[in-house]
Amino acid sequence: GENVEQHPSTLSVQEGDSAVIKCTYSDSASNYFPWYKQELGKGPQLIIDIRSNVGEKKDQRIAVTLNKTAKHFSLHITETQPEDSAVYFCAAKTSYDKVIFGPGTSLSVIP
Amino acid sequence: DAGVIQSPRHEVTEMGQEVTLRCKPISGHNSLFWYRQTMMRGLELLIYFNNNVPIDDSGMPEDRFSAKMPNASFSTLKIQPSEPRDSAVYFCASSLGSGGYEQYFGPGTRLTVT
């Protein structure tokens, strides 16, 4: 079945450094790729998304890139801050509208 | 906007009891999703409604689970009878339009079945 893989599972960076999280997907018909941030005790929060007709999208310190040929996409966070510490999930929407989530990356930003 | 509202936030019950989780989607959203989150299996889609109609329930684990959406502002997820392996955090999410785009999640219900 459809699958989304995500790496790394944990990531620790110094405040001010950049963080990169990478995901791959299996369904070549996927056309929508959201990223969610989940803080402890809360529901996932949509932070950025990209559609398959776009290669890159940026929103302030967050950017996402998509390589449809290789079936992978990445989240880039620049100038990290302690409040960026959370679990980040990538996801891919399949051809029949089901959103499959990756296993998550626990990001720690060290002050 | 109040966002997606879920109740209760925490539920502790004994094996064999019936459990009902409730969700109020964001006003104006016409798609609603129920997810389950566990350490072992991550975030899994259980069922997806569009305009109050179940579209995809392939993620519902077994007949013990049922979901309803009687109107655009309310949905329930029921487990009867509950089992310890049902312990998880259950999230409701809603989105505008169909297709699963831009889903907004509620705070979740943490269910513990002893």
Side-chain angles (χ1 to χ4, degrees):
Chain A
E2 291 78 14
N3 185 47
V4 176
E5 296 184 354
Q6 184 171 348
H7 300 280
S9 57
T10 60
L11 179 60
S12 184
V13 299
Q14 292 288 331
E15 182 178 358
D17 287 350
S18 295
V20 180
I21 302 170
K22 299 182 179 182
C23 291
T24 60
Y25 59 97
S26 60
D27 184 358
S28 57
S30 292
N31 62 0
Y32 174 68
F33 307 89
W35 286 87
Y36 286 84
K37 174 184 181 182
Q38 186 175 25
E39 297 175 332
L40 198 61
K42 297 184 178 181
Q45 176 191 5
L46 180 66
I47 57 172
I48 195 168
D49 56 14
I50 192 168
R51 305 208 179 194
S52 59
N53 58 347
V54 175
E56 183 173 358
K57 184 176 180 180
K58 189 173 182 180
D59 183 3
Q60 299 183 343
R61 297 185 296 109
I62 295 174
V64 58
T65 59
L66 171 65
N67 183 328
K68 283 218 71 180
T69 302
K71 292 192 288 186
H72 66 71
F73 56 114
S74 301
L75 178 72
H76 304 251
I77 306 174
T78 58
E79 301 172 19
T80 53
Q81 302 167 3
E83 51 265 39
D84 294 329
S85 296
V87 178
Y88 290 80
F89 294 94
C90 63
K93 191 176 83 69
T94 68
S95 54
Y96 48 93
D97 294 344
K98 187 171 183 175
V99 175
I100 307 295
F101 285 81
T105 296
S106 178
L107 173 65
S108 298
V109 179
I110 303 167
Chain B
D1 197 324
V4 176
I5 299 172
Q6 291 188 245
S7 65
R9 293 295 313 277
H10 302 274
E11 177 80 39
V12 180
T13 191
E14 293 184 348
M15 182 174 64
Q17 296 299 305
E18 177 180 296
V19 176
T20 299
L21 310 182
R22 297 172 176 80
C23 174
K24 177 179 170 55
I26 293 172
S27 178
H29 282 191
N30 58 357
S31 288
L32 183 140
F33 310 81
W34 282 101
Y35 288 89
R36 178 171 66 176
Q37 186 175 41
T38 62
M39 288 296 293
M40 290 297 294
R41 300 175 67 88
L43 263 169
E44 303 174 277
L45 176 67
L46 300 178
I47 188 168
Y48 155 40
F49 292 87
N50 181 246
N51 291 326
N52 312 336
V53 176
I55 303 299
D56 180 359
D57 65 355
S58 60
M60 295 287 264
E62 49 198 273
D63 292 346
R64 297 184 298 107
F65 286 68
S66 63
K68 294 182 179 180
M69 192 164 186
N71 58 62
S73 58
F74 184 66
S75 177
T76 60
L77 177 67
K78 185 177 294 186
I79 308 172
Q80 165 65 16
S82 57
E83 296 183 2
R85 61 192 169 119
D86 301 330
S87 297
V89 181
Y90 291 81
F91 290 103
C92 175
S94 70
S95 68
L96 184 64
S98 62
Y101 300 99
E102 296 186 32
Q103 297 179 32
Y104 293 87
F105 282 72
T109 295
R110 180 174 294 278
L111 173 66
T112 303
V113 183
T114 60

